[in-house]
């Protein structure tokens, strides 16, 4: 009997170890295999050219072995660190007065060398909601783009920059493009050789001089996205709580401006509901929709979702998402999939791994400073610039004679 007990304890230890290992394998998704991204597109001359010129679109995306196959860990590392070994690109901050008294700002970073086409090319970058040019993932991408010969202009979402006070009772919202428009107008005046057009989809006339557009980890429909944020699968309800808490802190840091100005639509009762909010929907209903006078939450989400405008885009459009993004429900991916199936200018790239704005690469444990996302965006944009430069004169778009290129990067729901 004395020899039986140690054997039984040894068996229990082995069972416990096996259980822990099983949980680790399941949580880290270690059994998942790597594969090339799924690509939805129409067979056109441009798509054939892009697949030859952008090998990263058709090759395996290989995340770090031990943790990179977990969308949660990819998202958590992006949320906590942004990137590793982040560079500090040198730029100039511009301040732009808006008609309603707000003060928009953006950072301008000049290219650190010539572009491979010899052209003057500007990337107009819109970070994720509530983000700005000082975020590590933006700095890493800007530094990489500068080295490839791109000038970069990065919007700072209204109210997102630390230590910059609001000058009107309004902050950023999901779909407001006023500050983006002001930034682009300023760039056009400062650099007349660079022709930029923004707000793809809102008006087709805005696309006359646009070469291409890239959007990464988009949710596409705010209304449908917020419904999924109340679900517990993929811990989405927990992410909702964390994002809401961050948003709450950001809004409260500007409470004196939001309440103190005469034109404010926010009252003490709204702030009271904000304090009690535990979800983004509650914050949007009590605060965010009122910045633009929306009568209901549904109207706010409908009017500020890009899903209603993307069908108007006629320039080449690259949509990138990850299957294991815990913030973007699988049902939302039907939107870009359907768009790419119907429109010849749209390519939808869906990676198996990457999380939300993670896309880290690496061997076993440590990620590389540059991510798959950073590399593929620049590779795609380079290919588009060369495509335009090598077109026969009769096929060139009207902007080519002024040596201009626009690449607009939009990311959403990043905390």
């Amino acid at each position: 009997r004395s020899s039986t007990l140690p054997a039984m304890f040894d068996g229990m230890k082995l069972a416990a170890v096996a259980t822990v290992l099983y949980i680790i394998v399941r949580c880290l998704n270690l059994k998942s295999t790597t594969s090339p991204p799924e690509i939805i597109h129409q067979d056109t001359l441009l798509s054939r050219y892009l697949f030859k010129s952008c090998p990263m679109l058709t090759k395996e995306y290989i995340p770090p072995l031990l943790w990179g196959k977990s969308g949660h860990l990819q998202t958590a590392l992006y949320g906590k660190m942004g990137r590793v070994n982040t560079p500090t690109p040198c730029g100039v901050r511009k301040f732009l007065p808006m008609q309603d008294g707000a003060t928009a700002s953006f950072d301008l970073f000049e290219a650190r060398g010539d572009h491979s086409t010899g052209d003057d090319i500007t990337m107009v970058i819109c970070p994720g909601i509530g983000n700005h040019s000082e975020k590590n993932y933006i700095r890493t991408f800007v530094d990489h783009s500068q080295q490839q010969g791109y000038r970069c202009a990065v919007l700072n979402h209204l109210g997102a920059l630390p230590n910059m006070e609001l000058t009107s009772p309004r902050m950023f919202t999901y779909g407001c493009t006023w500050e983006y428009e002001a930034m682009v107008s300023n760039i056009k005046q400062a650099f007349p050789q660079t022709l930029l057009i923004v707000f793809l989809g809102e008006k087709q006339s805005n696309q006359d001089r646009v070469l291409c557009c890239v959007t990464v980890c988009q949710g596409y429909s705010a209304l449908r996205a917020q419904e999924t944020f109340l679900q517990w699968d993929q811990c989405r309800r927990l992410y909702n709580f964390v994002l809401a808490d961050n948003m709450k802190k950001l809004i409260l840091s500007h409470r004196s401006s939001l309440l103190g100005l005469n034109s404010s639509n926010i009252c003490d009762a709204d702030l009271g509901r904000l304090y009690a909010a535990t979800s983004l929907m509650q914050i949007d209903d009590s605060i965010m929709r009122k910045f633009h006078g929306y009568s209901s939450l549904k109207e706010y989400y409908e009017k500020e979702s890009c899903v209603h405008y993307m069908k108007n885009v006629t320039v080449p459009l690259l949509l990138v998402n990850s299957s294991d993004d815990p913030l973007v429900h699988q049902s939302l991916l039907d939107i870009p999939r359907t768009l790419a199936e119907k429109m010849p200018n749209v390519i939808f790239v869906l990676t198996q791994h990457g999380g939300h704005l993670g896309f880290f690469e690496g061997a076993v444990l440590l990620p590389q400073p540059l991510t798959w996302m950073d590399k593929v965006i620049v590779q795609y944009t380079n290919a588009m610039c060369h495509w335009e430069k090598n077109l026969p004169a009769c096929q060139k778009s009207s902007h080519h004679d002024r040596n201009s290129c626009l690449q607009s990067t939009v990311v959403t729901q990043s905390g």
Side-chain angles (χ1 to χ4, degrees):
R1 181 178 299 179
S2 59
S3 62
T4 303
L5 288 176
M8 185 170 61
F9 284 126
D10 289 340
M12 293 174 63
K13 291 178 182 178
L14 288 174
V17 170
T19 302
V20 170
L21 290 176
Y22 174 77
I23 294 173
I24 291 175
V25 169
R26 285 294 300 271
C27 291
L28 298 183
N29 202 21
L30 294 178
K31 294 181 67 176
S32 175
T33 57
T34 58
S35 63
E38 180 186 0
I39 302 178
I40 294 87
H41 67 98
Q42 292 190 19
D43 185 19
T44 64
L45 289 176
L46 178 57
S47 65
R48 294 178 188 177
Y49 162 79
L50 285 172
F51 296 145
K52 290 180 180 179
S53 304
C54 303
M56 292 190 68
L57 290 177
T58 54
K59 288 185 177 179
E60 279 184 306
Y61 158 54
I62 303 178
L65 179 63
L66 289 183
W67 55 269
K69 295 177 182 178
S70 167
H72 294 292
L73 290 181
Q74 288 255 17
T75 302
L77 185 59
Y78 150 73
K80 192 67 177 178
M81 297 178 56
R83 296 293 181 256
V84 296
N85 300 324
T86 305
T88 307
C90 183
V92 177
R93 181 156 295 166
K94 304 285 186 177
F95 300 94
L96 307 172
M98 306 294 292
Q99 289 186 351
D100 67 344
T103 303
S105 72
F106 71 95
D107 286 16
L108 191 65
F109 304 88
E110 288 295 337
R112 299 210 304 268
D114 295 332
H115 190 266
S116 57
T117 62
D119 293 341
D120 182 290
I121 305 172
T122 300
M123 286 196 179
V124 181
I125 303 169
C126 180
I129 285 294
N131 285 330
H132 47 75
S133 62
E134 297 178 7
K135 292 293 185 177
N136 287 348
Y137 83 103
I138 294 294
R139 288 179 173 179
T140 299
F141 178 72
V142 166
D143 181 76
H144 179 50
S145 301
Q146 286 179 293
Q147 294 180 36
Q148 300 298 314
Y150 291 93
R151 178 190 298 113
C152 295
V154 185
L155 178 69
N156 299 310
H157 283 294
L158 197 62
L161 272 175
N163 304 319
M164 182 174 172
E165 293 294 328
L166 294 175
T167 57
S168 77
R170 179 173 66 85
M171 293 178 62
F172 62 86
T173 56
Y174 295 126
C176 181
T177 51
W178 296 350
E179 291 76 47
Y180 199 42
E181 181 179 17
M183 174 181 68
V184 171
S185 297
N186 183 273
I187 293 171
K188 290 168 66 177
Q189 294 175 4
F191 305 98
Q193 81 280 10
T194 297
L195 306 179
L196 300 174
I197 293 294
V198 295
F199 312 140
L200 298 181
E202 291 187 326
K203 295 180 182 179
Q204 290 194 357
S205 60
N206 287 340
Q207 302 173 50
D208 292 342
R209 302 169 188 175
V210 174
L211 180 60
C212 63
C213 181
V214 180
T215 175
V216 183
C217 290
Q218 182 72 253
Y220 304 103
S221 171
L223 183 62
R224 290 170 58 180
Q226 294 304 323
E227 291 171 353
T228 67
F229 263 100
L230 297 177
Q231 302 168 3
W232 279 101
D233 65 300
Q234 290 295 311
C235 300
R236 201 168 292 107
R237 186 65 181 86
L238 180 60
Y239 283 107
N240 190 1
F241 178 81
V242 173
L243 292 172
D245 189 59
N246 290 337
M247 185 73 76
K248 186 189 302 186
K249 292 175 181 176
L250 190 57
I251 295 172
L252 290 175
S253 70
H254 295 290
R255 60 181 174 270
S256 58
S257 299
L258 296 177
L259 280 175
L261 298 174
N262 293 332
S263 56
S264 177
N265 292 327
I266 309 300
C267 63
D268 288 327
D270 295 323
L271 283 185
R273 285 188 287 271
L274 174 66
Y275 278 110
T278 59
S279 72
L280 289 172
M281 291 181 72
Q282 292 172 333
I283 294 176
D284 291 338
D285 194 26
S286 61
I287 302 291
M288 306 303 283
R289 69 174 177 85
K290 297 181 180 180
F291 289 142
H292 294 285
Y294 290 112
S295 59
S296 68
L297 190 60
K298 182 178 180 181
E299 181 189 14
Y300 170 60
Y301 286 153
E302 286 286 348
K303 294 290 181 63
E304 304 229 346
S305 294
C306 67
V307 64
H308 304 297
Y309 304 104
M310 289 192 302
K311 63 180 181 296
N312 298 328
V313 177
T314 58
V315 299
L317 173 61
L318 180 68
L319 309 172
V320 181
N321 284 93
S322 171
S323 291
D324 66 354
D325 186 337
L327 302 186
V328 180
H329 192 271
Q330 287 289 320
S331 63
L332 296 171
L333 301 180
D334 292 337
I335 297 172
R337 188 183 298 274
T338 301
L339 197 71
E341 290 172 349
K342 293 182 177 180
M343 299 181 62
N345 61 306
V346 178
I347 295 178
F348 175 43
V349 176
L350 183 64
T351 62
Q352 186 175 354
H353 307 110
H356 188 76
L357 296 176
F359 298 103
F360 292 98
E361 291 184 308
V364 179
L365 182 61
L366 296 178
Q368 299 173 3
L370 279 178
T371 68
W372 178 87
M373 180 184 76
D374 300 322
K375 298 174 186 175
V376 80
I377 292 175
V378 171
Q379 193 175 88
Y380 171 83
T381 310
N382 282 342
M384 287 303 310
C385 291
H386 283 279
W387 166 267
E388 177 71 12
K389 193 174 184 68
N390 294 326
L391 279 176
C394 61
Q395 298 181 27
K396 292 183 184 296
S397 56
S398 60
H399 70 278
H400 183 269
D401 58 331
R402 299 290 297 276
N403 296 327
S404 171
C405 165
L406 167 68
Q407 184 276 312
S408 174
T409 305
V410 184
V411 289
T412 60
Q413 298 287 347
S414 50

